[in-house]
């Protein structure tokens, strides 16, 4: 848990403006997808919803989406030393402010006050989980058409963290979508913190920005002093509110009805700590997964996988290559088609069990080989004019990813092709996501972009190593 108070100067908005947050990928939900789902907005205190998700709520209202709001506490502990207002008076005031703010965002939203104690949500997890289940059931929609909107589970405030964690637990258990909105994170964290780099951005229209501003202003007890006496100070000063006057809102996103890991490479699908792909025990972890099934990720049957392979192969600019390398080949479904276009081909993976399947698939191709390597620590000798890194990058730490690109840069021949393809959505428990991996490649390599295909679920990008100057 980080330590901070509302009196801290924190990170100025100017620093965040220079961070690149304005260029984060957009939330991959169009108007039809938003309108077709029910959203349950969770607030630990009155004003959380306006600060973190006011623009989103205004958009949902404009699209006619179903919105339900669960308010956990009245925020009665916001001014514990107030000489002018008792906690009971403050609770009554803040509930009225909350109703007024909602009226500016989602006038017809049904909302429920749970009456839990401010500052003590961690001890009321079961009540919160029960309220979420009841609200979701009341929508009458299947779980994959329900989205929870909750505080970021590592926001730094004990109530925000407790509520965010409960929402994440409910989403994982029932298959709800999950949008996590940061509030205090913008104060205590800085651009060097890696968490925000995997988040997504929702651009706001001027009308949505105006509705959000009006909602924030409605929380008068927090944005203005209760009185001029000590203990009645402003809780949300103007410098802090600047973080919520952007032309966008920021969310961590887990898609409804999908697992917390993508339908992708073998390095992905063990429920292990981040960077397990490159960990010393990676082979055992992934071999356990493959012991249960020859094709645990449905590479041979999933239309998503078939389609992604076809697009990857079509995007390669060369008809043929002299030497190809595939990092994280898994059971070799893509390897076979890559090898047919290469004079020599090497497929590597951290799992010997997966490689055994890949070797059988490649057995009819004399120029194709497999090798058990854990990258980037291990790397094959030789040079290549094609390197493919598909659904692997986000299972590395930022340092390991940088080392991977150093290896690529050292072994890809001038004019050679680097193909990257990755799932775009955040992956719970892992530090990076696909968009972050591709942004790191562009930033570190600074190579010409020879092709880019991006859709809601994955991004496919082709880079060309520079030719020597004449």
């Amino acid at each position: 848990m980080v330590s901070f108070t509302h009196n801290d100067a924190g990170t100025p908005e100017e620093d965040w403006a220079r961070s690149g947050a304005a260029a984060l990928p957009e939330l991959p939900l169009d108007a039809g997808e938003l309108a077709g789902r029910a959203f349950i907005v969770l607030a630990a205190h009155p004003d959380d919803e306006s600060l973190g998700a006011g623009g989103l709520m205004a958009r949902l209202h404009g699209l006619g989406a179903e919105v339900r709001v669960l308010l956990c506490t009245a925020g009665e502990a916001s001014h514990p030393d107030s000489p002018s207002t008792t906690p009971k008076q403050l609770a009554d005031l803040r509930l009225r402010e909350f109703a007024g703010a909602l009226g500016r965002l989602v006038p017809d939203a049904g909302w429920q006050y749970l009456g839990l104690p401010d500052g003590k949500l961690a001890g009321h997890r079961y009540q919160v989980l029960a309220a979420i289940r009841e609200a979701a059931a009341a929508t009458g929609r299947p779980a994959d058409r329900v989205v929870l909107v909750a505080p970021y589970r590592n926001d730094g405030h004990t109530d925000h963290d407790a509520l965010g964690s409960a929402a994440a637990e409910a989403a994982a258990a029932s298959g709800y979508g999950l949008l996590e909105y940061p509030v205090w994170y913008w104060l205590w964290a800085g651009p060097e913190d890696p968490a925000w780099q995997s988040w997504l951005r929702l651009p706001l229209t001027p009308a949505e920005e105006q509705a959000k501003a009006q909602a924030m202003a409605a929380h008068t007890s927090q944005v203005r002093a209760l009185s001029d006496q000590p203990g009645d100070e402003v809780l949300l000063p103007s410098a802090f509110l600047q973080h919520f006057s952007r032309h966008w809102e920021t969310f961590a996103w887990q898609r409804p009805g999908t697992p917390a890991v993508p339908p992708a490479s073998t390095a992905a699908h063990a429920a292990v700590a981040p960077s397990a792909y490159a960990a010393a025990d990676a082979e055992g972890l992934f071999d356990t997964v493959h012991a249960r099934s020859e094709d645990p990720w449905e590479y041979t049957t999933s239309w998503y996988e078939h389609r992604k392979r076809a697009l990857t192969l079509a995007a390669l600019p060369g008809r043929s290559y002299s030497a190809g390398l595939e990092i994280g080949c898994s059971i070799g479904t893509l390897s076979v088609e890559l090898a047919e276009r290469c004079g020599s081909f090497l497929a590597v993976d951290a799992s010997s069990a997966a490689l055994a399947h890949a070797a059988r698939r490649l057995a009819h191709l004399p120029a194709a080989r497999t090798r058990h390597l854990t990258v980037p620590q291990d790397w094959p000798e030789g040079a290549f004019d094609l390197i493919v890194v598909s659904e692997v990058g986000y299972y590395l730490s930022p340092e390991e990813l940088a080392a991977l690109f150093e290896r690529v840069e050292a072994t890809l021949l001038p004019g050679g092709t680097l193909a990257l393809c990755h799932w775009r959505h955040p992956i719970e428990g892992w530090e990076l996501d696909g968009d972050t991996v591709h942004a790191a490649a562009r930033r570190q390599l600074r190579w010409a972009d020879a092709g880019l295909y991006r859709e809601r679920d994955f991004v496919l990008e082709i880079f060309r190593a520079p030719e020597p100057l004449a």
Side-chain angles (χ1 to χ4, degrees):
M1 176 72 71
V2 297
S3 178
F4 66 92
T5 74
H6 68 277
N7 291 317
D8 293 346
T11 302
E13 177 58 18
E14 290 79 7
D15 288 1
W16 287 113
R18 292 190 294 266
S19 70
L24 284 170
E26 292 186 19
L27 183 69
L29 291 174
D30 60 25
E33 291 179 296
L34 292 172
R37 288 178 165 84
F39 290 78
I40 300 172
V41 179
L42 307 173
H45 320 96
D47 74 22
D48 293 340
E49 78 301 325
S50 299
L51 295 169
L56 170 66
M57 295 171 72
R59 176 164 305 180
L60 295 175
H61 174 66
L63 295 172
E66 180 179 359
V67 180
R68 295 171 181 264
V69 183
L70 297 180
L71 174 63
C72 293
T73 83
E76 67 276 7
S78 68
H79 290 75
D81 301 318
S82 173
S84 66
T85 311
T86 67
K88 174 63 168 61
Q89 291 172 328
L90 190 56
D92 292 342
L93 173 60
R94 297 200 66 185
L95 289 175
R96 291 195 298 272
E97 292 172 350
F98 181 77
L102 279 190
R104 291 163 171 81
L105 298 173
V106 191
D108 53 352
W111 67 281
Q112 178 184 358
Y113 169 49
L114 303 187
L116 301 176
D118 187 4
K120 300 180 180 179
L121 285 187
H124 295 269
R125 183 170 63 90
Y126 292 111
Q127 292 98 314
V128 171
L129 289 172
I132 291 173
R133 287 194 297 269
E134 290 173 7
T139 69
R141 298 173 186 256
D144 65 355
R145 309 303 290 176
V146 174
V147 179
L148 308 182
V149 183
Y152 174 46
R153 74 191 79 172
N154 295 309
D155 199 41
H157 186 296
T158 179
D159 281 349
H160 291 201
D161 294 0
L163 183 55
S165 295
E169 179 180 343
S174 299
Y176 309 136
L178 177 63
L179 285 166
E180 297 179 65
Y181 58 85
V183 176
W184 290 107
Y185 176 89
W186 303 119
L187 176 81
W188 61 260
E192 70 281 357
D193 187 84
W196 67 271
Q197 297 177 31
S198 65
W199 295 345
L200 300 173
R201 181 173 52 90
L202 177 70
L204 303 179
T205 67
E208 291 160 355
E209 290 184 50
Q210 182 180 21
K212 178 174 181 171
Q214 292 174 344
M216 291 194 299
H219 295 283
T220 309
S221 66
Q222 308 301 294
V223 300
R224 299 180 187 173
L226 294 175
S227 76
D228 58 1
Q229 302 180 66
D232 278 352
E233 67 276 7
V234 173
L235 263 293
L236 304 178
S238 58
F240 178 67
L241 292 177
Q242 287 179 9
H243 300 312
F244 308 97
S245 299
R246 301 166 180 166
H247 301 307
W248 72 91
E249 289 178 335
T250 313
F251 300 92
W253 165 234
Q254 181 176 314
R255 193 170 182 77
T258 59
V261 293
S265 103
T266 185
H269 298 106
V272 293
S275 297
Y277 179 80
D281 61 350
E283 178 181 357
L285 291 166
F286 305 142
D287 285 352
T288 298
V289 174
H290 285 89
R292 295 194 293 264
S293 170
E294 181 176 339
D295 187 7
W297 316 125
E298 300 182 346
Y299 291 125
T300 59
T301 59
S302 163
W303 174 240
Y304 169 87
E305 294 294 342
H306 277 277
R307 185 170 162 273
K308 186 177 63 176
R309 281 198 300 275
L311 287 166
T312 301
L313 292 162
L316 297 178
R319 176 176 296 188
S320 62
Y321 294 88
S322 61
L325 170 65
E326 182 186 7
I327 303 298
C329 66
S330 187
I331 62 174
T333 49
L334 177 60
S335 310
V336 172
E337 296 180 87
L338 290 172
E340 290 173 345
R341 291 169 62 174
C342 296
S344 67
F345 181 78
L346 177 62
V348 307
D349 200 278
S351 168
S352 57
L355 278 174
H357 297 306
R360 285 194 289 271
R361 282 190 165 82
L362 292 166
H364 67 289
L365 297 170
R369 297 176 295 124
T370 61
R371 189 171 173 188
H372 180 217
L373 294 177
T374 301
V375 298
Q377 291 89 334
D378 303 323
W379 196 262
E381 62 283 349
F384 307 89
D385 59 348
L386 172 65
I387 297 179
V388 177
V389 181
S390 179
E391 309 291 12
V392 171
Y394 37 55
Y395 298 106
L396 305 176
S397 70
E399 295 76 18
E400 290 166 333
L401 184 64
L404 171 66
F405 291 139
E406 287 178 3
R407 298 277 204 176
V408 168
E409 189 170 19
T411 54
L412 191 62
L413 292 167
T417 297
L418 169 64
L420 300 181
C421 185
H422 290 86
W423 173 258
R424 294 190 63 202
H425 304 289
I427 309 169
E428 184 178 353
W430 300 84
E431 192 170 354
L432 305 178
D433 67 2
D435 285 310
T436 306
V437 169
H438 285 239
R442 290 190 293 270
R443 183 170 58 249
Q444 182 172 337
L445 296 173
R446 299 185 180 277
W447 286 353
D449 194 327
L452 173 64
Y453 176 78
R454 182 186 291 118
E455 62 177 54
R456 185 173 57 212
D457 289 332
F458 69 90
V459 55
L460 168 63
E461 197 159 4
I462 307 298
F463 295 94
R464 184 69 66 84
E467 300 273 8
L469 295 176

